[in-house]
Amino acid sequence: MPNNHDIDHIIKVILQDYDKKRDVDKMDVFGQPDSKAVEDITHKLLNVIFPGYYRDRVYRSFNDRNRMSVLIEDVMYNLEKQITIALSYNEEYRDTDERLRKEAAKRIAGEFGECIPMIREFVDTDVQATFDGDPAAYGKEEIVLSYPGILATTVNRLAHELFLLRVPLIPRMMTEYAHSKTGIDINPGATIGKYFMIDHGTGVVVGETTVIGEHVKIYQGVTLGALSTRGGQDLRGKKRHPTVEDNVTIYSGASILGGETIIGHDSVVGSNCFITASVPADTRVTIRNQELIYKDGNGKEYSSAEFKQGECWCGGYGNDWVI
Amino acid sequence: MPNNHDIDHIIKVILQDYDKKRDVDKMDVFGQPDSKAVEDITHKLLNVIFPGYYRDRVYRSFNDRNRMSVLIEDVMYNLEKQITIALSYNEEYRDTDERLRKEAAKRIAGEFGECIPMIREFVDTDVQATFDGDPAAYGKEEIVLSYPGILATTVNRLAHELFLLRVPLIPRMMTEYAHSKTGIDINPGATIGKYFMIDHGTGVVVGETTVIGEHVKIYQGVTLGALSTRGGQDLRGKKRHPTVEDNVTIYSGASILGGETIIGHDSVVGSNCFITASVPADTRVTIRNQELIYKDGNGKEYSSAEFKQGECWCGGYGNDWVI
Amino acid sequence: MPNNHDIDHIIKVILQDYDKKRDVDKMDVFGQPDSKAVEDITHKLLNVIFPGYYRDRVYRSFNDRNRMSVLIEDVMYNLEKQITIALSYNEEYRDTDERLRKEAAKRIAGEFGECIPMIREFVDTDVQATFDGDPAAYGKEEIVLSYPGILATTVNRLAHELFLLRVPLIPRMMTEYAHSKTGIDINPGATIGKYFMIDHGTGVVVGETTVIGEHVKIYQGVTLGALSTRGGQDLRGKKRHPTVEDNVTIYSGASILGGETIIGHDSVVGSNCFITASVPADTRVTIRNQELIYKDGNGKEYSSAEFKQGECWCGGYGNDWVI
C-alpha cells in the first residue's frame, strides 16, 4: 500500500480538482436519479410484465398474487421517488418547491401504472410475432427467457410511456440498461406498433423520432437514424428519423435515414441497403449484386459473371464444390 | 408515495390483467428454468473449464483440488435440477411423471459432465489460435481473462453438448448469457471445430445449423445466417445456415447465407462480402473496390480513379498527405 | 441429484484433466489479476471521475469530501495490489522478488493517481462534445448517466495511462469490461485527443496503435483497424491502425484500415466507406450511390435511376408516397 503521505497527496490533488465547477465536478449524488435504483426498477418492471419469468428471491411467497402485489407496491414506490428527483430537470418543475414535484411524481407514477395492462397487451403480440418469425425458436417460453429483442422492445414500451409523460432522464437510463444487456439501442422516444420483432439485434439503432407500424420485423445491425446531426442541438425535437409502415421487413445491416423517409407498408428492404428517400408500399428493395472478385490458388482472377457462367475453375475442385 | 388507494387500484388493475390466459400471463415461476440459476451455472462451468481464472469467493480453500471438487459437485447438482424442469418442454418427457424426468436429468447431467475434458481440449486449441492470430495479444492469460471470443466460444461448446443431449431452453439461455456479455450470438446448435478464433466479435451471428471446420477465424460483424426466414416455423430443423470448411478466414462485416452455401477450405472472404452461393476451396473473395467519391474543400469532386492516378488535388496539402 | 458414485466419477475425470499442463490447466488463482477485483476498481475509478454520478452505498457519508477520500484510498489500495500481481507478466519484473514488484506497483499506482485530474479534464471535454453533437441529448447529466460512448471513452482514458506505465493485463481487462457493457471495443493502447464523441457505439472497434486527434466524432459500427493480421505475433508493436486528425467525423459502419492510413483534419467519411489509403485534409469521402433495385408488387423492376426520374410506379400509390 502506498504510504499515507502518497495517498494523502493523491487525495488532495483529486479533491482540489473537484473545485473547478465543471459539469464533471458535480458532487451531489442526490441531485439526479440513481443508476442502480433505475436499473432495479427496470428489472422489477420486467418482472411485473412477465410475472412467471423473473424469479426474485426477495419476494418469496406461496401465493403468486401476494408476491406480485408486494412487487408492484415496491416498484411504484421507488419509481415515484426517482421521478421526484428527475422532475427537477423538467423546465416546468425546475423552480417549484419539492412538494409540487412530489405531487406531480405521484400523479405521473399513477398514470404510468395504469398503462401497464396496455403495455402487456403489446408485449404479448411481440412474443407471438417472434415465435412466428423465427424457425430457431422452440417455444414462447424460450422467447421470453432468452430473446434480446423481447427484452429491448419491452423496456422501450415501458420507457416510452414515461417519455410521453415528460419524465426527464429516467426513460433514457432505462433504454440504456437494455442497450447494455442486448446491444439494441432504441431511444425511448421511438413509437413502435404491435407485433414487433427484432432478431439477434446486436447493433440495432432506432432513433428518437422513429415511428414504426405493426408487424414490422428487423434484423441485427439495422439503423433507423438521422441523415445528419451536424445541426446538433438546433435539431432537437424535429422529426429526424424515418417512418416504417405496417408489415415491413428490414434485413441485417440496412440503414434507413431521415425524418421524411417513409418505408411503405408491405415492403421488404434487403441486407445492407442504404436508404435516404421514401420507398412506396409493396416494394422489394435490394442492392444490385455486389461485384465480387474470386482469385484462385494460382492468383488467377474471376469476376462474379465468369464465376456464375461456369467458366470458372471450380469444376476442378471436385468434392469441394458441392451445390 | 402514492396513497394506498392509488396503489391498491394499480395493483388491482394489473392483477386482473394476469387473468387473461395469454402467454405473458403465466405466473408459475417454477414451471421453467430460472434465468439467474442458469447464469450462475454457466459462470461456474466457465470456472470448471478454466480452474485458475475465475476466483470465486464462495469456494475459498487452500487446496485447489478441494476447491474444484466442491465447485463441480455444486454445478452438477444445480444443473440437474434445472434440466429436470426444462425436460417438461421436451416432447418425449412432457407427459411423464416427475420421477422419470428426474432420472433422465440425472443421466443427462452425468453424460454432460463426462464431456467436460473433451470440451476443455477444444477450448485449449481456441486459446492457442487466438494467441497465434492476434498481434495485440501479449499472452495467453490475457486471452483467457479478457477476450470475448473465448468466452462466447466456450459457452457455445458447453451449450452445444446440452443441445445434442436434447435439453430444451437451457442451452439457448446459456448462449444468450454469453451474447449479452460479448455481443457475439452463437446458437447452441452450431457445430464448431478446433482452433476457432473470433476477434473483437461484437455483432457476430452464427445460426443454429451452421457447421464450422478447424482453424477458422472470424471478425466482428460477421453473419453466418439463413437466406430467408419467411417460412417461419415451417423451416425448423432444416439446414438453413452455411458450412465453413477448415482454414477459412472471414473478415469483418461479411455475410454468408444459406444452408447449401459452403466456403471451401483455405479460402478467405473479404470484409463486407455478401455471399449466398458456395465458394470453392483455396479462393480469395473480395468485393470489387467500392467507388468512392472525394470532394475537396471547394466542392470539386474526384473519383477513386482520379484520386489514385495522382490527378487529384492532394499534392497541395503538403504534410497532411503522408503515404 | 446424481448419486455420489456418479458425481465422484465426474470429479475424478475432470481433476485428472487438470494434470495435462496445458495453458487452460493453470489452477493457481492468485497468479493473475482477479477479474472481479479489476471490475470493482474500474467501477470505483468511474466514481472518482464523476463524483456525483455513481452512488455507492458502501461509502455513505454526509460529507462528500470524506466519502470521496475514503473511496480514493480504497481504489488506490486495491489497484496497487492487482498491479503487483500483474507485474509478474512484465519482462522487466518477471524474475525479481515480490518486494521489488511491490515497490514498483506502489510507484506506478502513485503516478497513475496523479494523472486523474488530467484524465478528468479530457473527460469533461468529451461530455461537452457529446452534448453539442447529439440533438437527442437533453442535458449533460443525461450524457454522464446514460451514454455508452462516455463510459467506454472514460475507461479507455484510465486504461491508457496504465498501458503507458507498462502494466500488463489490467488495462485490457478494464477496456473489456467497458466493451462488455457498451459494445464499444477500444484497445487501451489507442491514443485519443480531447472532445471525442461516440454516438450509439455498438460495434465500434478502435485498434491498439490508433491515434485520434481532437474534436473527432464516430458512430456505431466504425472500425479503425489493421489491414491484415496474417503476420500474427510478428506484427506486435508495429503501427497497424490508422491516424485520424482533428475535426474528423466518421459515419456508421465505415472501416478505416492500416497503420499508414491517415484521415486528414476536417474530413468527413461517409457511412460504410471502406478506406485503406490516406485521405487528405478537408475532404468529404462517400461511396457512389449504391445501385438499388426496386421491385413492385407485380414483380416489375426499376433501377435507382428510373426510380429517381419519376418514371416509376410510385405515383399510383397515392398517400403511401409522401416526400
Side-chain angles (χ1 to χ4, degrees):
Chain A
M1 172 171 185
N3 65 38
N4 284 331
H5 180 69
D6 292 347
I7 276 285
D8 286 349
H9 173 65
I10 288 165
I11 290 172
K12 199 178 135 197
V13 163
I14 296 175
L15 289 183
Q16 276 173 352
D17 197 50
Y18 294 154
D19 289 334
K20 292 188 179 156
K21 311 279 176 217
R22 298 162 299 188
D23 295 297
V24 296
D25 296 325
K26 190 167 200 168
M27 286 187 79
D28 171 18
V29 290
F30 299 101
Q32 51 271 328
D34 177 17
S35 302
K36 284 269 168 257
V38 172
E39 278 185 22
D40 190 56
I41 288 166
T42 309
H43 186 78
K44 284 174 176 162
L45 283 171
L46 286 167
N47 196 335
V48 171
I49 298 292
F50 303 108
Y53 289 89
Y54 286 76
R55 204 176 303 175
D56 196 330
R57 273 132 192 162
V58 179
Y59 305 101
R60 190 186 298 272
S61 163
F62 290 101
N63 180 313
D64 286 328
R65 293 184 165 263
N66 292 351
R67 170 173 63 89
M68 293 313 296
S69 299
V70 174
L71 179 65
I72 294 165
E73 205 173 318
D74 175 276
V75 76
M76 293 300 293
Y77 172 76
N78 284 297
L79 180 61
E80 188 180 323
K81 226 167 98 178
Q82 296 300 321
I83 292 174
T84 305
I85 298 170
L87 282 179
S88 62
Y89 292 87
N90 176 318
E91 282 175 26
E92 206 182 323
Y93 297 99
R94 189 174 297 150
D95 303 317
T96 61
D97 68 26
E98 209 196 329
R99 196 180 46 78
L100 285 175
R101 282 204 295 278
K102 273 190 175 168
E103 271 172 28
K106 184 179 166 168
R107 177 185 51 75
I108 289 169
E111 288 181 28
F112 173 76
E114 300 210 41
C115 290
I116 285 178
M118 182 201 66
I119 295 172
R120 297 188 72 249
E121 189 188 328
F122 274 66
V123 168
D124 187 56
T125 69
D126 300 331
V127 173
Q128 184 66 48
T130 304
F131 181 71
D132 292 341
D134 183 11
Y138 284 85
K140 290 189 186 166
E141 288 82 5
E142 187 176 59
I143 288 164
V144 177
L145 287 166
S146 60
Y147 274 55
I150 287 295
L151 177 63
T153 304
T154 304
V155 173
N156 165 271
R157 297 199 183 287
L158 291 161
H160 185 59
E161 294 305 319
L162 292 171
F163 176 92
L164 293 177
L165 290 163
R166 296 171 46 74
V167 176
L169 293 166
I170 295 173
R172 181 67 181 257
M173 291 166 81
M174 289 171 68
T175 56
E176 185 50 31
Y177 169 76
H179 182 200
S180 175
K181 287 250 172 214
T182 65
I184 299 169
D185 185 1
I186 313 181
N187 192 288
T191 305
I192 300 176
K194 287 182 175 179
Y195 294 96
F196 185 55
M197 169 185 176
I198 302 176
D199 204 4
H200 308 297
T202 312
V204 164
V205 172
V206 178
E208 186 186 18
T209 62
T210 304
V211 178
I212 295 176
E214 300 195 348
H215 289 281
V216 169
K217 195 169 162 179
I218 70 179
Y219 286 82
Q220 71 269 21
V222 165
T223 294
L224 305 177
L227 259 171
S228 163
T229 53
R230 302 215 113 194
Q233 286 290 327
D234 295 340
L235 295 169
R236 202 202 295 176
K238 299 218 173 99
K239 177 130 167 58
R240 310 180 303 281
H241 308 96
T243 296
V244 176
E245 295 185 351
D246 295 350
N247 303 310
V248 166
T249 298
I250 307 173
Y251 283 105
S252 64
S255 294
I256 299 171
L257 307 182
E260 304 199 332
T261 303
I262 296 169
I263 307 299
H265 60 79
D266 296 285
S267 288
V268 177
V269 176
S271 262
N272 301 326
C273 282
F274 188 84
I275 290 185
T276 57
S278 292
V279 168
D282 205 16
T283 305
R284 289 183 69 89
V285 193
T286 50
I287 40 179
R288 193 173 289 283
N289 280 336
Q290 277 181 335
E291 215 176 325
L292 296 174
I293 300 172
Y294 299 80
K295 201 182 274 188
D296 70 15
N298 303 315
K300 192 173 171 198
E301 273 189 29
Y302 299 81
S303 69
S304 300
E306 291 167 322
F307 191 76
K308 284 197 183 134
Q309 287 161 17
E311 296 168 9
C312 74
W313 74 101
C314 55
Y317 278 76
N319 295 339
D320 297 330
W321 186 247
V322 176
I323 54 164
Chain B
M1 173 172 184
N3 65 40
N4 284 332
H5 180 69
D6 292 347
I7 276 284
D8 286 349
H9 174 65
I10 288 165
I11 289 172
K12 199 178 135 199
V13 162
I14 295 174
L15 289 184
Q16 277 174 349
D17 197 50
Y18 293 154
D19 288 334
K20 293 189 179 156
K21 312 281 176 213
R22 298 161 300 188
D23 295 297
V24 297
D25 296 325
K26 191 167 199 166
M27 286 188 81
D28 172 18
V29 290
F30 299 102
Q32 51 270 329
D34 178 17
S35 301
K36 285 268 167 258
V38 173
E39 278 186 22
D40 190 54
I41 287 165
T42 309
H43 186 78
K44 284 173 176 163
L45 282 171
L46 286 168
N47 195 335
V48 171
I49 298 292
F50 303 108
Y53 289 88
Y54 286 77
R55 206 176 302 176
D56 196 331
R57 272 133 194 162
V58 179
Y59 306 101
R60 190 187 299 273
S61 162
F62 291 102
N63 181 313
D64 287 326
R65 291 184 166 264
N66 292 350
R67 171 173 61 87
M68 294 312 296
S69 299
V70 175
L71 179 66
I72 294 164
E73 206 174 316
D74 174 278
V75 77
M76 292 301 293
Y77 171 75
N78 283 297
L79 181 61
E80 188 181 321
K81 226 168 96 177
Q82 295 300 320
I83 292 175
T84 305
I85 298 169
L87 282 180
S88 62
Y89 292 87
N90 177 318
E91 284 175 25
E92 205 181 322
Y93 298 99
R94 189 174 296 151
D95 304 316
T96 63
D97 69 25
E98 210 196 329
R99 197 181 45 81
L100 285 175
R101 281 205 295 279
K102 273 190 175 169
E103 270 172 30
K106 183 178 166 169
R107 178 185 52 75
I108 290 169
E111 287 181 29
F112 173 77
E114 299 209 42
C115 289
I116 286 178
M118 182 201 66
I119 296 172
R120 296 187 73 248
E121 190 188 326
F122 275 66
V123 169
D124 187 58
T125 69
D126 300 332
V127 173
Q128 185 66 47
T130 305
F131 181 72
D132 292 341
D134 182 12
Y138 285 86
K140 291 188 186 167
E141 289 80 7
E142 186 175 60
I143 288 165
V144 177
L145 287 167
S146 59
Y147 275 55
I150 288 295
L151 177 63
T153 304
T154 303
V155 173
N156 166 270
R157 297 198 182 288
L158 291 160
H160 185 59
E161 294 304 320
L162 292 170
F163 176 91
L164 293 177
L165 290 163
R166 297 173 44 75
V167 175
L169 294 166
I170 296 173
R172 180 68 179 257
M173 292 167 81
M174 289 171 70
T175 57
E176 184 50 32
Y177 169 77
H179 181 199
S180 174
K181 286 252 171 212
T182 64
I184 299 168
D185 186 1
I186 312 181
N187 193 287
T191 305
I192 301 176
K194 287 182 176 179
Y195 296 95
F196 184 56
M197 170 185 174
I198 302 176
D199 203 5
H200 307 298
T202 311
V204 164
V205 172
V206 178
E208 186 186 18
T209 61
T210 304
V211 177
I212 295 176
E214 301 196 347
H215 290 282
V216 169
K217 196 169 162 178
I218 70 179
Y219 286 81
Q220 70 270 20
V222 165
T223 294
L224 304 178
L227 258 172
S228 163
T229 54
R230 301 215 114 195
Q233 286 292 327
D234 295 340
L235 294 169
R236 203 204 292 178
K238 300 218 173 99
K239 177 129 168 59
R240 308 181 303 281
H241 309 96
T243 297
V244 177
E245 296 185 350
D246 295 348
N247 303 309
V248 166
T249 297
I250 307 172
Y251 284 105
S252 64
S255 294
I256 298 171
L257 307 182
E260 304 199 333
T261 304
I262 296 169
I263 307 299
H265 60 79
D266 297 284
S267 288
V268 176
V269 176
S271 263
N272 301 327
C273 282
F274 188 84
I275 290 184
T276 57
S278 292
V279 168
D282 206 18
T283 305
R284 288 183 68 91
V285 193
T286 50
I287 40 179
R288 193 172 290 285
N289 280 336
Q290 279 181 335
E291 214 175 327
L292 295 174
I293 300 171
Y294 299 80
K295 200 181 275 189
D296 70 14
N298 303 315
K300 192 172 172 200
E301 273 189 29
Y302 299 81
S303 69
S304 300
E306 290 166 324
F307 191 76
K308 283 198 184 133
Q309 286 160 17
E311 294 168 11
C312 74
W313 74 101
C314 55
Y317 278 76
N319 295 340
D320 297 329
W321 187 244
V322 176
I323 55 163
Chain C
M1 170 171 186
N3 65 39
N4 284 332
H5 181 70
D6 292 347
I7 276 284
D8 286 350
H9 173 67
I10 288 165
I11 291 173
K12 199 178 135 197
V13 163
I14 296 174
L15 290 184
Q16 276 174 351
D17 198 50
Y18 294 154
D19 289 334
K20 293 191 178 154
K21 312 281 177 212
R22 298 161 300 188
D23 296 297
V24 295
D25 296 324
K26 192 168 200 166
M27 287 188 78
D28 171 18
V29 291
F30 299 101
Q32 51 271 329
D34 177 17
S35 301
K36 285 268 166 260
V38 172
E39 278 186 21
D40 190 56
I41 288 165
T42 308
H43 185 78
K44 284 174 176 164
L45 283 171
L46 286 167
N47 195 335
V48 171
I49 299 292
F50 303 108
Y53 289 88
Y54 287 77
R55 205 177 302 175
D56 196 329
R57 273 134 191 162
V58 179
Y59 305 101
R60 189 188 298 275
S61 162
F62 291 102
N63 181 313
D64 287 327
R65 292 184 166 264
N66 292 350
R67 171 174 60 90
M68 294 312 295
S69 298
V70 174
L71 179 65
I72 293 165
E73 205 174 316
D74 174 276
V75 77
M76 292 302 291
Y77 172 75
N78 284 297
L79 180 60
E80 188 181 324
K81 228 168 96 178
Q82 295 299 321
I83 291 174
T84 304
I85 298 170
L87 282 180
S88 62
Y89 292 87
N90 176 319
E91 283 175 26
E92 206 181 322
Y93 297 99
R94 188 175 299 153
D95 303 317
T96 62
D97 68 26
E98 209 196 329
R99 196 181 46 79
L100 284 175
R101 282 204 296 277
K102 274 190 173 168
E103 272 172 29
K106 183 178 167 167
R107 178 185 51 76
I108 290 169
E111 287 182 28
F112 172 77
E114 299 210 40
C115 290
I116 286 178
M118 182 201 65
I119 295 172
R120 297 186 73 249
E121 188 188 327
F122 275 65
V123 168
D124 187 57
T125 69
D126 300 331
V127 173
Q128 184 67 48
T130 305
F131 181 72
D132 292 341
D134 182 12
Y138 285 85
K140 290 189 187 167
E141 288 82 5
E142 186 175 60
I143 288 164
V144 177
L145 287 167
S146 60
Y147 274 55
I150 287 295
L151 177 63
T153 305
T154 303
V155 172
N156 166 271
R157 296 198 183 288
L158 290 161
H160 185 59
E161 294 304 320
L162 292 170
F163 175 92
L164 294 177
L165 290 162
R166 295 172 45 74
V167 176
L169 293 165
I170 295 172
R172 181 68 181 257
M173 292 167 79
M174 289 172 68
T175 57
E176 185 51 32
Y177 169 77
H179 183 199
S180 175
K181 287 249 171 216
T182 64
I184 300 169
D185 186 1
I186 312 181
N187 192 288
T191 305
I192 301 176
K194 287 182 176 177
Y195 295 96
F196 185 55
M197 169 184 177
I198 302 176
D199 204 5
H200 308 297
T202 311
V204 163
V205 172
V206 178
E208 186 185 19
T209 61
T210 304
V211 177
I212 295 175
E214 301 195 346
H215 289 282
V216 169
K217 195 169 162 179
I218 70 179
Y219 286 82
Q220 70 270 22
V222 165
T223 294
L224 305 178
L227 258 172
S228 163
T229 53
R230 302 214 113 193
Q233 286 290 327
D234 295 340
L235 295 168
R236 202 203 295 175
K238 298 215 174 102
K239 178 130 167 59
R240 309 179 304 280
H241 308 97
T243 297
V244 176
E245 295 185 351
D246 295 349
N247 303 310
V248 166
T249 297
I250 306 172
Y251 283 106
S252 64
S255 294
I256 299 171
L257 307 182
E260 303 199 333
T261 303
I262 296 169
I263 308 299
H265 61 78
D266 296 284
S267 288
V268 177
V269 176
S271 262
N272 301 327
C273 283
F274 188 83
I275 290 183
T276 57
S278 292
V279 168
D282 206 16
T283 305
R284 289 182 68 91
V285 193
T286 50
I287 39 179
R288 193 173 290 283
N289 281 336
Q290 277 180 336
E291 215 175 325
L292 295 175
I293 300 173
Y294 299 80
K295 200 182 276 188
D296 70 13
N298 303 316
K300 190 168 174 203
E301 273 190 29
Y302 300 80
S303 69
S304 300
E306 291 166 323
F307 191 77
K308 283 199 183 130
Q309 285 161 18
E311 295 168 9
C312 74
W313 75 101
C314 55
Y317 279 75
N319 295 339
D320 297 329
W321 186 245
V322 175
I323 56 163

